[in-house]
């Protein structure tokens, strides 16, 4: 039996390719007919395609009306094109007389314009194509012609002492009403392979009653839409598995591949991996990483000895927090210096245009003040809320991502997640978990306390430096027009253990510049 490879474009000719596959499966051994929806989940897609093309005797290139335009578009954009990959390999074998390439024109298509196609598939246009018509009788006749052509080009001649291959069996004779009942039952039971088998039997008949013919037109499209979704699901899972492996390597390579993946599957990222595709990795010196924080709830409490604010004193208020990414570490001095020294960074006043108060702040400070402590990998302190917001706006513009200070609710969710821990790591504290209590007398590198990780692996959420939040302490405003006190969270190198608790809330004016106050960023997907 000949081995047959069916090449097609899913968005151009899936229905026709499926019809042809099922008709050939009635006449040849189905195991010898390859169509990519048969690839199992987890299969090595490129290698399986390569092997199938290399082993086939006949390659059917199914060409619909959009086939050439789609190849041209993918060639122009540099996108992966598996159809071009298949056809090019098959044409190479055709030239070596080790397989035969047959163009099959469906849906009223004609051979594509040569100018649309890359030169490595131009030979396809020199081959005689078979037009496959849609009406029942014509389709029956065209399938018979295709079967005869396949047998003719793959049957060995007796002149070279090779046995002549037997002709394929004719399609079975059927009772169309009984077969349609069987098809309909398999369809309703979601036994898709059985349904396809009965559908192929019906399509192999020379003629059908008008009622059954129209019913088949409807069900056939529905069936192949279902199979298409299943095939796309498998393709999506195969490609996502490859992304998982790629995410452990070069971030730039991963980002480019992830962005291509999202063009095909924009709403699929179950792990998730999207935070690893950030362009911030190109700009920010290490240590830098985003940590994904899943959606959940947080409860904020104002303790009795603090003043009234948007959280009533002595009461807990629970908030829903959508998923987001947060910087694993506070912004370091080296990272902030990228902003200060960038040609479109601190020297550009537009990053302070978000409020009149911020404009005044920037106008009075044409040059950024220095950090109080040295150390490139220590958190940048001595930054106002205005400076911190400006950094986030700049990084957003440089990466085309939504980057800002965390809201107070985001900060607390990243610190303790769904736990009730006193500190990010648990309920006990000593000098091995965090920089607090004046034990060292200054800031420390943001990687110095690995034991202090939050449930999600976020570091330095207690001690080292207080961290600005976007939220106004009294009004809960998170718009960039704030001139009232803003929330600080996390405590610092200079504060006692009580102040570095995850529930502890304090505030200061957005204009304050203090040697124990810094910030970190969040990245939103909304």
């Amino acid at each position: 039996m000949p081995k047959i490879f069916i090449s097609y474009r899913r968005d151009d000719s899936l229905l026709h390719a499926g019809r042809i596959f099922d008709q050939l499966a009635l006449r040849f051994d189905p195991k010898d007919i390859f169509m990519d929806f048969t690839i199992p989940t987890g299969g090595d897609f490129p290698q399986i395609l390569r092997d199938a093309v290399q082993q086939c005797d006949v390659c059917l290139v199914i060409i619909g009306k959009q086939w050439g335009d789609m190849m041209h578009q993918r060639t122009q954009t540099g996108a992966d094109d598996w159809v071009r990959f298949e056809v090019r390999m098959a044409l190479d074998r055709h030239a070596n007389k080790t397989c035969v390439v047959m163009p099959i024109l469906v849906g009223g298509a004609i051979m594509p314009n040569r100018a649309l196609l890359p030169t490595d598939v131009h030979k396809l246009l020199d081959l005689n194509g078979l037009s496959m018509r849609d009406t029942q009788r014509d389709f029956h006749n065209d399938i018979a012609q295709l079967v005869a052509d396949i047998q003719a080009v793959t049957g060995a001649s007796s002149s070279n002492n090779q046995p002549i291959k037997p002709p394929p069996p004719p399609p079975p004779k059927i009772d169309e009403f009984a077969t349609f009942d069987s098809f309909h039952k398999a369809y309703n039971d979601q036994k898709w392979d059985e349904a396809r088998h009965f559908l192929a039997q019906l399509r192999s008949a020379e003629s059908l009653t008008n009622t059954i013919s129209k019913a088949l037109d409807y069900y056939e499209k529905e069936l192949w839409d279902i199979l298409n979704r299943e095939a796309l699901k498998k393709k999506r899972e195969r490609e996502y598995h490859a992304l998982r492996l790629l995410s452990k390597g070069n971030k730039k390579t991963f980002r480019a591949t992830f962005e291509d993946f999202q063009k095909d599957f924009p709403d699929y990222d179950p792990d998730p991996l999207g935070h690893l595709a950030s362009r911030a990795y190109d700009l920010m010196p290490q240590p830098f990483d985003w940590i994904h924080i899943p959606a959940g709830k947080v409860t904020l409490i104002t303790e009795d000895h603090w003043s009234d604010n948007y959280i009533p004193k002595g009461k807990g208020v629970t908030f829903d927090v959508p998923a987001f990414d947060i910087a694993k570490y506070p912004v370091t001095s080296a990272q902030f210096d990228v902003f200060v020294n960038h040609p479109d960074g601190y020297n550009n006043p537009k990053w302070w245009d978000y409020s009149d108060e911020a404009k005044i702040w920037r106008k009075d400070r044409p040059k950024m003040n220095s950090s109080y402590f040295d150390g490139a990998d220590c958190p940048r302190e001595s930054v106002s809320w205005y400076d911190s917001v400006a950094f986030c706006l700049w990084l957003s513009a440089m990466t085309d991502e939504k980057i800002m200070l965390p809201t107070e609710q985001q900060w607390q969710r990243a610190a303790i997640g769904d736990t009730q821990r006193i500190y990010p790591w648990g309920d006990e504290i000593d000098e091995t978990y965090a920089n607090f209590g004046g034990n060292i007398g200054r800031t420390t590198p943001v990687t110095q306390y690995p034991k202090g990780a939050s449930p999600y692996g976020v570091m330095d959420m207690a001690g080292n430096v207080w961290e600005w939040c976007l939220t106004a302490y009294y009004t809960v405003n998170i718009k960039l027009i704030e001139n009232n006190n803003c929330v600080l969270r996390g405590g610092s190198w200079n504060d006692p253990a009580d102040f570095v608790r995850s529930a502890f809330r304090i505030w200061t004016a957005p204009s304050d510049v203090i040697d124990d106050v810094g910030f970190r960023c969040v990245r939103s997907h909304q």
Side-chain angles (χ1 to χ4, degrees), residues 36-48 230-242 244-245:
D36 67 3
F37 74 84
T38 62
I39 296 177
T41 300
D44 186 335
F45 189 75
Q47 188 60 50
I48 291 173
E230 291 297 313
L232 282 174
K233 182 179 177 181
K234 289 182 179 180
K235 177 177 184 287
R236 182 185 70 183
E237 291 170 353
R238 287 194 302 266
E239 293 189 9
Y240 197 79
H241 178 66
R244 287 190 184 99
L245 301 178

Side-chain angles (χ1 to χ4, degrees), residues 371-500:
S371 176
Y372 189 83
F373 297 110
D374 61 1
D377 56 352
C378 291
R380 181 51 152 99
E381 24 68 28
S382 304
V383 287
S384 70
W385 185 87
Y386 300 127
D387 296 326
S388 305
V389 170
F391 176 93
C392 293
L393 292 173
W394 166 79
L395 190 56
S396 294
M398 295 298 104
T399 60
D400 196 27
E401 298 168 8
K402 296 179 180 179
I403 296 172
M404 187 41 63
L405 296 177
T407 65
E408 184 175 16
Q409 290 81 2
Q410 287 174 325
W411 189 96
Q412 182 154 316
R413 179 142 182 82
I416 59 172
D418 296 316
T419 74
Q420 302 299 318
R421 295 174 179 176
I422 296 175
Y423 305 102
W425 54 84
D427 295 338
E428 303 295 331
I429 188 172
D430 62 41
E431 61 187 14
T432 67
Y433 288 99
N435 178 9
F436 72 102
N439 295 325
I440 296 177
R442 57 154 296 160
T443 57
T444 48
V446 295
T447 57
Q448 187 160 318
Y449 295 93
K451 288 176 60 177
S454 84
Y456 301 113
V458 188
M459 308 303 299
D460 258 15
M461 296 292 277
N464 219 358
V465 291
W466 290 98
E467 296 179 12
W468 286 113
C469 291
L470 190 61
T471 311
Y473 185 75
Y474 293 108
T475 66
V476 77
N477 177 36
I478 57 171
K479 297 180 180 179
L480 300 183
I481 55 173
E482 195 54 55
N483 195 34
N484 296 310
N485 291 333
C486 295
V487 172
L488 293 173
R489 298 298 297 267
S492 80
W493 59 269
N494 198 33
D495 292 297
D498 188 54
F499 280 30
V500 301

Side-chain angles (χ1 to χ4, degrees), residues 107-123:
I110 60 175
M111 292 296 276
N113 187 324
R114 187 177 295 267
L116 290 177
L117 304 186
T119 57
D120 55 6
V121 297
H122 276 183
K123 181 61 180 175

Side-chain angles (χ1 to χ4, degrees), residues 82-222:
W82 295 112
V83 171
R84 180 180 173 185
F85 173 78
E86 296 162 358
V87 174
R88 184 175 63 237
M89 282 198 301
L91 288 172
D92 287 344
R93 294 193 60 220
H94 184 97
N96 295 329
K97 302 185 184 305
T98 56
C99 89
V100 176
V101 176
M102 295 183 178
I104 309 296
L105 304 169
V106 297
I110 60 175
M111 292 296 276
N113 187 324
R114 187 177 295 267
L116 290 177
L117 304 186
T119 57
D120 55 6
V121 297
H122 276 183
K123 181 61 180 175
L124 180 70
L125 304 180
D126 299 332
L127 305 179
N128 189 40
L130 172 66
S131 292
M132 191 71 63
R133 294 165 292 179
D134 289 337
T135 61
Q136 182 72 17
R137 183 175 293 275
D138 289 336
F139 178 71
H140 176 274
N141 293 333
D142 294 336
I143 283 292
Q145 181 63 55
L146 176 60
V147 170
D149 290 345
I150 292 173
Q151 183 63 23
V153 300
T154 58
S157 168
S158 59
S159 63
N160 59 8
N161 297 320
Q162 295 293 326
I164 298 176
K165 295 181 181 179
K173 293 183 178 181
I174 61 167
D175 177 332
E176 64 175 286
F177 293 101
T179 305
F180 183 79
D181 286 343
S182 298
F183 162 76
H184 194 258
K185 183 179 187 306
Y187 182 92
N188 286 338
D189 292 343
Q190 299 185 10
K191 296 179 178 178
W192 308 127
D193 288 340
E194 283 186 31
R196 283 177 47 226
H197 173 74
F198 292 124
L199 177 64
Q201 288 188 343
L202 287 162
R203 285 297 185 197
S204 70
E206 288 192 38
S207 62
L208 294 171
T209 62
N210 189 49
T211 300
I212 288 184
S213 181
K214 287 185 176 180
L216 282 188
D217 288 342
Y218 168 78
Y219 280 112
E220 186 175 34
K221 183 179 185 307
E222 290 293 307

Side-chain angles (χ1 to χ4, degrees), residues 4-46:
I4 303 167
F5 184 98
I6 299 178
S7 172
Y8 71 104
R9 288 196 181 280
R10 197 173 301 278
D11 295 334
D12 175 60
S13 56
L14 172 66
L15 180 59
H16 294 89
R19 279 184 183 176
I20 293 168
F21 178 97
D22 287 338
Q23 290 301 311
L24 296 179
L26 292 176
R27 296 160 171 87
F28 300 102
D29 188 339
K31 296 194 296 295
D32 290 330
I33 307 169
F34 179 91
M35 191 170 158
D36 67 3
F37 74 84
T38 62
I39 296 177
T41 300
D44 186 335
F45 189 75

Side-chain angles (χ1 to χ4, degrees), residues 330-341:
V331 172
T332 65
S333 290
Q335 292 162 4
F336 196 81
D337 283 348
V338 176
F339 169 56
V340 172
N341 298 322

